[in-house]
Amino acid sequence: DWSSDVCSSDLALAAVTRVPLPSLNGVFVDELDAQLDVVSALLDDVAATGLPHCLQLRPGSSGRFAELALERGAIQEADVPLMVLEDRIGIEDAGPGDLVIRALPPEQVHLHASVAAAGFEAPEGLFHQLMTPAVLRADGVCCYLGEAGGVAVTTGFAVRIDDGIGIFSVATPPPYPRRRYG
């Protein structure tokens, strides 16, 4: 069950997956100086679900959001790394030659869940809850699987909203890390 609210003056997305992990339910703010009242209202909506949730901000965001999070009893955890692709030149040369990446059809979303769970060393059941065929059928959602020699070595999924794309759950399970598959 995914829900979202996109504001016209700035981008703030409320997402509720129903998986009981804070990082999978919350408010995700794309703008450095988003409207505090909008973010606060979205946090209220997510909090009303009773699920553990988070507030994720871009590095360099206004300190007003840190104050808002503290007022609500949130604690700051390690920063989530963000990657930005400014230029597509040379992207074809970015991965190893034996890697083949394909988009998964909804009926194969279980492959993403298995590889992602192994990569994050997390219970596989949580990823099967998160990524279902229905989620993969949603507009703008796409799941990718990378294979080397016919073996699944990496995965990730993308969500497109307007002209932006969020890339999530990029995972490369042992024994394949540090081979540039992710």
Side-chain angles (χ1 to χ4, degrees):
D1 179 19
W2 292 56
S3 61
S4 65
D5 184 10
V6 179
C7 305
S8 60
S9 61
D10 52 66
L11 185 64
L13 172 73
V16 176
T17 68
R18 306 261 178 237
V19 177
L21 292 173
S23 62
L24 299 179
N25 304 290
V27 176
F28 307 87
V29 181
D30 185 47
E31 294 295 321
L32 292 176
D33 197 26
Q35 296 175 1
L36 188 63
D37 59 333
V38 171
V39 174
S40 182
L42 291 173
L43 275 172
D44 289 342
D45 290 345
V46 175
T49 68
L51 291 163
H53 58 280
C54 68
L55 171 61
Q56 289 191 21
L57 308 166
R58 288 178 63 167
S61 293
S62 170
R64 299 176 301 149
F65 296 114
E67 293 171 18
L68 174 66
L70 286 173
E71 288 170 9
R72 292 167 177 260
I75 59 170
Q76 183 174 359
E77 292 188 4
D79 290 336
V80 175
L82 299 176
M83 297 183 288
V84 176
L85 177 62
E86 298 287 345
D87 190 351
R88 295 176 187 250
I89 295 173
I91 195 165
E92 295 83 15
D93 300 327
D98 61 340
L99 181 66
V100 175
I101 297 175
R102 64 183 175 99
L104 291 176
E107 60 274 4
Q108 291 185 348
V109 73
H110 65 280
L111 296 173
H112 165 77
S114 296
V115 174
F120 287 107
E121 298 177 353
E124 192 169 322
L126 293 177
F127 281 89
H128 286 286
Q129 272 184 280
L130 176 64
M131 291 304 295
T132 65
V135 169
L136 201 48
R137 285 186 194 99
D139 286 342
V141 178
C142 193
C143 225
Y144 299 93
L145 185 73
E147 298 169 307
V151 176
V153 296
T154 193
T155 191
F157 81 93
V159 178
R160 177 184 290 272
I161 299 174
D162 297 325
D163 64 348
I165 298 176
I167 301 172
F168 305 93
S169 296
V170 176
T172 303
Y176 306 108
R178 294 186 173 79
R179 296 187 188 180
R180 295 178 30 204
Y181 290 138

